[in-house]
């Protein structure tokens, strides 16, 4: 063999290897996936289906946290209104007096009739809207998840990882976060419990139980059920259980400590000393538009030109809706997970998660999927305000441009 | 540099840094190994990632930490072979080998041009070539990882390069 040729093929291989090793590693994706609640014995269960959508998994956690805050304090007020054995005025009055609380959370996954604890957490809430969420994986998990997330509606938040000793800052949630976060508004909500569960004793306390649909609390939050047990004497929640219909996941909240006093810096978004900042660089508008339009196209392809039928996009909820449209039922099988269609939905989830991120942090973002479909070429489907003061607009046919505020007003006048 | 066996022991204890290093050490070999079977970049990435996650979740099943590499590669082969059976012939047929997603990144083009030839190497040679060149592993370490004598690895690499050159010549003709 010609020596030069041999060197040439070797050189090509060396260059290819170097180029491949310069690409982003799968390591973060693998760690992120391992950090999700998991159980090696539960093959095919939902958590094994998440490849790498950092935004989505974060979103999922925030969603859970948000839901939790509201459910505990507000759903109680609302639900108790239908109970003859507990006075609504009494419960409402009690809950409105609550200025803070702490609660223990246990996350369980079920598969094949077997239920196992995946993770535990402690959540702390303080008026008017500061949340601290500390989560740990179950003891038998190979990946020891141990993270803290602090966020609020008024100032930037933070999340740090005690194992990797890293942190990332999170923008303030000034945008359209779930109404479940807006406690005072939810307190005014009046609805029906889907089921009254009667009475039972929990830790020696007589409790009244109710079941409600999760999407009754937030129409964009997907299907699921919430079970609430309230101390009939004290008129405060004793146990709350939330079950997501699309996943075999149940979260149970117990051991409420009301009106806890926290240290001054307990909700401070300050990382522990010596932790490394891994906050990702802001996403460029062009990249966001490409990601979002591709994901909306995926959804429209699955639903005959319609976009997600919600007012607020959540990455995980939209992913579940798309899975359902594509014919995936329940927890996906390993074969389904490896299918191209499933992979496409998981890829699109990054775009939906990006939309949620924009909506949660940008007070001038709006999504009109309930009224605008793929056929509506020039109607505004999604828009948000740019740092320049202009607005980025994505239309029904998914073309996009930036426009002035005045032009946006014209576009939206009478059509949205 | 920590040995694979050391990293595996630390990964068993949940050390994220050890997991990161193990992924970085093997990801390119896994990606290529999966690609060589399914012939689809998109699927190969999923398979590689799933194999890592599955491996770390099942580390308790690995008795000999030194055998992590071959154990991992065997796992990705099983997954890729299962996937291959589900894919239409034109996707995994090497004659139709393609990079599934359109991407004009130069490394993807390089990968696209070299990977079909690498995929035609005998399995043992394919493994040492991908560990040596794609993962950038020293020859001595490959010998340790694959539990083969150093001389065997050197010979396999040499034969593999020779075969690749022959393939190149045929293509050029």
């Amino acid at each position: 063999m010609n020596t030069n040729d041999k060197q040439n093929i070797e050189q090509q291989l060396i260059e290819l290897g170097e180029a491949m090793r310069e690409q982003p590693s799968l390591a973060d994706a693998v760690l992120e996936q391992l950090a999700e609640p998991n159980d090696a014995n539960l093959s095919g269960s939902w958590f094994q289906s998440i490849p790498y959508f950092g935004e989505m998994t974060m979103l999922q956690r925030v969603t859970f946290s948000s839901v939790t805050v509201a459910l505990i304090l507000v759903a109680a007020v609302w639900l108790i209104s239908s109970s003859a054995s507990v006075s609504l005025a009494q419960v409402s009055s009690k809950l409105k007096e609550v200025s803070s609380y702490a609660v223990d959370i246990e996350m369980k996954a079920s598969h094949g009739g077997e239920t196992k604890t995946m993770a535990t957490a402690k959540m702390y809430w303080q008026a008017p809207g500061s949340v601290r969420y500390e989560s740990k994986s179950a003891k038998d998990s190979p990946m020891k998840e141990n993270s803290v997330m602090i966020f609020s509606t008024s100032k930037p938040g933070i999340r740090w990882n005690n194992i990797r000793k890293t942190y990332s800052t999170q923008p303030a949630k000034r945008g359209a976060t779930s109404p479940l976060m807006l406690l005072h508004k939810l307190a005014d909500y009046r609805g029906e419990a889907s089921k009254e569960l009667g009475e039972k004793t929990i830790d020696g306390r007589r409790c009244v139980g109710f079941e409600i649909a999760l999407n009754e609390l937030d129409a964009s939050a997907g299907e699921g059920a919430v079970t609430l047990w309230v101390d009939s004497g004290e008129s405060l929640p004793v146990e709350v259980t939330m079950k997501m219909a699309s996943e075999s996941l149940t979260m149970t909240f117990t051991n409420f400590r009301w009106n806890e006093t926290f240290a001054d810096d307990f909700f401070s978004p300050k990382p522990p000393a010596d932790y490394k900042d891994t906050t990702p660089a802001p996403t460029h508008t062009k990249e966001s538009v490409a990601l979002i339009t591709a994901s909306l196209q995926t959804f429209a392809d699955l639903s005959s030109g319609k976009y997600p039928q919600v007012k607020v996009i959540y990455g995980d909820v939209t992913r579940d809706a798309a899975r359902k449209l594509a014919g995936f039922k329940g927890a996906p099988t390993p074969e389904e997970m490896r299918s191209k269609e499933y992979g496409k939905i998981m890829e699109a989830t990054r775009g939906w998660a990006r939309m949620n991120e924009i909506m949660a942090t940008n007070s001038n973002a709006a999504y009109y999927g309930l009224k605008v479909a793929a056929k509506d070429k020039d109607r505004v489907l999604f828009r948000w305000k740019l740092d320049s003061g202009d607005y980025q607009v994505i239309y029904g046919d998914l073309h996009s441009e930036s426009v002035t505020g005045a032009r946006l007003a014209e576009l939206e006048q009478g059509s949205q | 540099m920590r040995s694979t066996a050391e990293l595996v022991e630390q990964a068993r204890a949940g050390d994220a840094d050890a997991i990161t290093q193990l992924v970085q050490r093997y990801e390119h070999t896994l990606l290529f190994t999966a690609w060589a079977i399914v012939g689809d970049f998109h699927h190969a990435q999923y398979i590689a990632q799933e194999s890592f996650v599955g491996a770390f979740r099942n580390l308790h099943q690995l008795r000999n930490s030194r055998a992590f590499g071959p154990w991992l590669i065997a796992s990705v082969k099983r997954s890729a072979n299962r996937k291959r059976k589900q894919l239409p012939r034109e996707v995994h047929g090497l004659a139709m080998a393609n990079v599934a997603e359109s991407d004009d990144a130069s490394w993807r083009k390089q990968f696209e041009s070299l990977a079909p030839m690498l995929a035609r190497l005998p399995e043992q040679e394919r493994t040492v070539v991908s560990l040596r060149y794609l993962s950038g592993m020293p020859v001595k370490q490959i010998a340790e990882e694959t539990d083969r004598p150093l001389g065997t690895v050197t010979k396999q690499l040499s034969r593999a390069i020779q075969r690749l050159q022959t393939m190149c010549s045929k293509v050029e003709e």
Side-chain angles (χ1 to χ4, degrees):
Chain A
M1 180 171 46
N2 183 308
T3 309
N4 288 337
D5 288 344
K6 183 178 174 182
Q7 283 173 347
N8 182 39
I9 192 82
E10 267 198 292
Q11 189 57 37
Q12 285 184 53
L13 285 167
I14 289 166
E15 285 172 7
L16 173 61
E18 284 173 351
M20 287 179 81
R21 294 195 294 278
E22 280 174 10
Q23 302 307 310
S25 170
L26 282 177
D28 282 345
V30 171
L31 285 168
E32 193 79 27
Q33 199 172 339
L34 286 169
E36 289 301 307
N38 72 87
D39 186 327
N41 296 321
L42 303 182
S43 59
S45 53
W46 68 274
F47 45 79
Q48 293 187 338
S49 68
I50 304 171
Y52 174 48
F53 302 109
E55 306 94 324
M56 188 209 62
T57 50
M58 174 61 79
L59 165 81
Q60 202 165 32
R61 287 176 183 149
V62 173
T63 302
F64 281 139
S65 307
S66 309
V67 168
T68 308
V69 172
L71 289 178
I72 293 164
L73 285 181
V74 181
V77 177
W78 159 50
L79 286 173
I80 297 309
S81 63
S82 62
S83 167
S85 59
V86 180
S87 154
L88 169 64
Q90 192 180 3
V91 176
S92 179
S93 170
K94 275 268 187 183
L95 284 170
K96 283 175 183 170
E97 288 171 9
V98 168
S99 60
S100 66
Y101 70 84
V103 63
D104 296 346
I105 304 169
E106 185 177 22
M107 193 185 296
K108 292 181 175 179
S110 302
H111 188 76
E114 190 182 9
T115 302
K116 286 199 170 187
T117 298
M118 303 288 99
T120 58
K122 289 184 185 296
M123 197 179 71
Y124 308 89
W125 177 86
Q126 181 172 266
S130 296
V131 176
R132 181 179 172 118
Y133 186 83
E134 301 175 351
S135 60
K136 283 185 181 177
S137 57
K139 282 180 183 172
D140 56 355
S141 169
M143 180 64 193
K144 307 301 177 196
E145 163 78 347
N146 183 338
S147 66
V148 175
M149 184 161 60
I150 293 171
F151 62 94
S152 78
T153 53
S154 59
K155 56 188 177 185
I158 192 168
R159 181 189 181 214
W160 69 75
N161 185 316
N162 288 322
I163 295 172
R164 302 174 73 182
K165 300 201 181 304
T166 56
Y167 72 91
S168 58
T169 54
Q170 316 280 323
K173 299 192 177 303
R174 295 196 174 93
T177 50
S178 167
L180 293 168
M181 285 291 285
L182 307 174
L183 302 181
H184 59 285
K185 286 188 181 178
L186 284 169
D188 297 332
Y189 184 85
R190 294 291 181 270
E192 296 285 330
S194 54
K195 201 187 289 181
E196 292 193 9
L197 302 174
E199 295 184 2
K200 77 170 180 181
T201 301
I202 301 174
D203 296 334
R205 300 157 79 177
R206 186 170 155 261
C207 297
V208 182
F210 305 89
E211 184 177 294
I212 55 171
L214 185 59
N215 56 16
E216 285 287 326
L217 289 167
D218 177 359
S220 302
E223 293 179 3
V226 177
T227 305
L228 181 78
W229 291 94
V230 178
D231 185 312
S232 57
E234 195 183 33
S235 303
L236 286 169
V238 173
E239 183 181 296
V240 178
T241 303
M242 183 170 70
K243 185 170 174 56
M244 304 294 284
S246 59
E247 295 163 349
S248 310
L249 183 72
T250 303
M251 296 178 82
T252 304
F253 310 90
T254 55
N255 190 24
F256 291 90
R257 285 91 74 198
W258 303 101
N259 298 313
E260 286 269 295
T261 302
F262 302 111
D264 290 344
D265 60 352
F266 193 66
F267 295 98
S268 165
K270 189 179 172 188
D274 303 328
Y275 277 36
K276 186 181 167 191
D277 186 355
T278 55
T279 307
T283 310
H284 292 298
T285 303
K286 197 178 165 186
E287 290 171 39
S288 293
V289 169
L291 196 62
I292 291 167
T293 52
S295 66
L296 288 170
Q297 184 65 60
T298 297
F299 197 95
D301 290 345
L302 290 167
S303 62
S304 308
K306 285 187 179 176
Y307 296 114
Q309 298 295 292
V310 291
K311 288 184 177 176
V312 178
I313 296 276
Y314 297 119
D316 44 2
V317 175
T318 310
R319 175 204 63 196
D320 293 343
R323 283 202 300 217
K324 202 171 173 182
L325 285 166
F328 296 108
K329 291 175 184 170
T333 64
E335 288 72 28
E336 285 173 339
M337 280 184 237
R338 293 190 194 100
S339 70
K340 200 144 194 170
E341 190 160 34
Y342 192 87
K344 202 171 177 185
I345 291 170
M346 298 308 287
E347 184 65 29
T349 305
R350 294 176 58 224
W352 302 322
R354 177 72 189 126
M355 289 176 76
N356 177 271
E357 194 183 329
I358 290 171
M359 296 192 84
T361 56
N362 191 313
S363 58
N364 292 289
Y367 170 71
Y368 300 108
L370 284 168
K371 295 177 181 174
V372 178
K375 63 181 170 53
D376 300 311
K377 186 183 169 191
D378 297 319
R379 291 180 69 188
V380 179
L381 173 63
F382 184 50
R383 51 91 164 164
W384 70 96
K385 195 170 186 177
L386 303 169
D387 291 341
S388 65
D390 286 345
Y391 286 80
Q392 190 68 35
V393 176
I394 294 176
Y395 296 91
D397 67 351
L398 299 182
H399 77 280
S400 181
E401 65 177 340
S402 65
V403 300
T404 63
R407 174 62 183 147
L408 179 70
E410 284 175 18
L411 287 167
E412 293 191 343
Q413 194 173 23
S415 66
Q416 302 305 144
Chain B
M1 188 172 66
R2 286 184 282 178
S3 73
T4 295
E6 284 173 321
L7 291 172
V8 169
E9 287 310 310
Q10 285 153 354
R12 285 184 204 273
D15 183 331
D17 184 51
I19 292 172
T20 300
Q21 287 197 42
L22 285 169
V23 173
Q24 289 171 345
R25 195 167 283 187
Y26 280 99
E27 60 187 316
H28 308 101
T29 295
L30 253 58
L31 175 65
F32 168 69
T33 303
W35 186 92
I37 296 169
V38 298
D40 180 289
F41 197 86
H42 173 82
H43 285 301
Q45 277 188 315
Y46 273 94
I47 291 165
Q49 188 172 319
E50 265 189 23
S51 297
F52 275 123
V53 173
F56 289 120
R57 284 183 177 163
N58 293 294
L59 265 186
H60 59 281
Q61 293 175 5
L62 177 67
R63 292 183 181 177
N64 178 5
S65 296
R66 285 184 61 201
F68 178 78
W71 180 66
L72 190 62
I73 292 169
S75 162
V76 83
K77 280 179 189 167
R78 281 196 300 274
S79 300
N81 277 316
R82 275 199 301 272
K83 181 67 198 170
R84 187 176 189 267
K85 288 174 187 167
Q86 299 159 9
L87 293 172
R89 290 175 67 89
E90 64 270 22
V91 173
H92 59 70
L94 291 178
M96 297 285 288
N98 64 80
V99 175
E101 306 298 318
S102 64
D103 188 332
D104 57 4
S106 59
W107 78 271
R108 289 280 292 269
K109 286 180 179 169
Q110 269 184 301
F111 184 91
E112 193 176 7
S113 73
L114 287 172
M117 289 192 290
L118 292 176
R120 289 165 60 191
L121 291 172
E123 192 172 313
Q124 290 193 332
E125 290 177 16
R126 193 196 305 162
T127 299
V128 294
V129 165
S130 56
L131 286 172
R132 176 73 190 98
Y133 296 104
L134 304 187
S135 293
M137 207 175 270
V139 177
K140 191 181 169 192
Q141 192 184 349
I142 296 172
E144 287 168 5
E145 298 279 328
T146 57
D147 205 21
R148 296 174 197 171
L150 186 63
T152 303
V153 173
T154 309
K155 278 179 194 164
Q156 285 174 337
L157 279 170
S158 179
R159 274 195 222 112
I161 294 295
Q162 201 166 1
R163 280 187 220 276
L164 288 170
Q165 182 50 44
T166 306
M167 288 180 215
C168 272
S169 305
K170 284 183 180 172
V171 169
E172 283 164 13
E173 282 167 19

